Amino acid sequence: MRLPSFIKAIVGCTDTESSRYSLGGVKCESTDNVSIITVTDGRKLLNVSYGDECDPVDCIIEAKPLVKACAAAHAKGRNTVFEIVEGASGQKAMVVGGAGAATAPLIEGKFPRWRDVFGDTAEHKQIGVKPELLIDVLAVFKAAGVEGVRVYIGDAERAIYFAATAPTGEVIRAVLMPMSLDVTPFPGEFGTESASESEEIAEPATV
């Protein structure tokens, strides 16, 4: 299974310090030439899907070791992939890239039912934003020590408004202009598919 070049950023959405194993793991699935990576820290959920011709995969890889393995194996301009191999202490993910190979341990257990969290997005409003502009705006609120930001969203033609008061009393407001989007972000098979019984967990996700 191929790993995206931005896997380190993906892993940033996990909680590697949590006692809940699923929050410190990277869920990897691949079937019918489509690979899917899903991570969560219990408050945010990130899902990445892409075309990928490989054998079927369904596992959870420990996040921190995966990043280290990718860093050791990756070479610019070359794909980084992994396969499940048998090790002395059980199964591991063997990460292979242009610079070599390294392993990361798997996590036993079940991952939160992420498909249920995304649900059906057909009734949701779509507003396009440039990632760098959104990051710039939210970075100001974060630097000011704001714990929560109010977000006001209208239709796709209107701006997005942000507002909050810093702990030191400053009132911060921002406006972000929308952009047009030509690509559907949630193909039907990922956005509306219900979870299978194998994904049910004993403790529910808090996303």
Side-chain angles (χ1 to χ4, degrees):
M1 176 174 166
R2 178 173 62 83
L3 293 168
S5 59
F6 50 95
I7 187 67
K8 184 176 181 179
I10 294 173
V11 170
C13 290
T14 65
D15 181 0
T16 57
E17 304 303 322
S18 174
S19 59
R20 291 176 59 189
Y21 65 88
S22 60
L23 302 187
V26 178
K27 174 69 171 179
C28 297
E29 305 168 76
S30 190
T31 184
D32 296 329
N33 295 331
V34 175
S35 290
I36 306 172
I37 291 178
T38 311
V39 294
T40 181
D41 66 357
R43 292 182 175 83
K44 57 182 177 287
L45 174 69
L46 180 75
N47 176 263
V48 180
S49 59
Y50 47 95
D52 187 20
E53 294 185 10
C54 67
D55 293 333
V57 173
D58 188 356
C59 66
I60 306 173
I61 307 176
E62 193 173 337
K64 277 186 176 180
L66 177 59
V67 170
K68 291 180 180 179
C70 287
H74 178 71
K76 188 175 182 180
R78 301 283 297 275
N79 284 337
T80 301
V81 302
F82 81 86
E83 61 180 5
I84 305 303
V85 298
E86 292 290 342
S89 57
Q91 291 187 323
K92 295 183 178 182
M94 173 69 75
V95 180
V96 181
T103 61
L106 302 186
I107 296 176
E108 296 293 332
K110 298 177 182 179
F111 197 78
R113 298 165 62 94
W114 63 264
R115 290 177 175 84
D116 285 354
V117 177
F118 280 109
D120 185 356
T121 59
E123 300 301 319
H124 289 64
K125 294 180 179 179
Q126 281 190 40
I127 297 180
V129 296
K130 286 186 175 293
E132 61 268 28
L133 299 182
L134 182 60
I135 291 170
D136 288 345
V137 167
L138 295 181
V140 176
F141 290 98
K142 182 178 180 180
V146 171
E147 291 188 1
V149 180
R150 289 186 176 85
V151 182
Y152 303 87
I153 301 176
D155 56 42
E157 303 299 322
R158 303 182 64 183
I160 305 171
Y161 297 86
F162 303 83
T165 301
T168 47
E170 297 89 348
V171 176
I172 307 169
R173 296 188 297 170
V175 178
L176 189 59
M177 300 307 294
M179 63 176 290
S180 61
L181 291 175
D182 297 325
V183 180
T184 302
F186 299 111
E189 63 267 29
F190 304 133
T192 61
E193 182 179 348
S194 59
S196 64
E197 290 299 320
S198 64
E199 291 176 301
E200 188 170 0
I201 58 173
E203 53 177 346
T206 55
V207 174

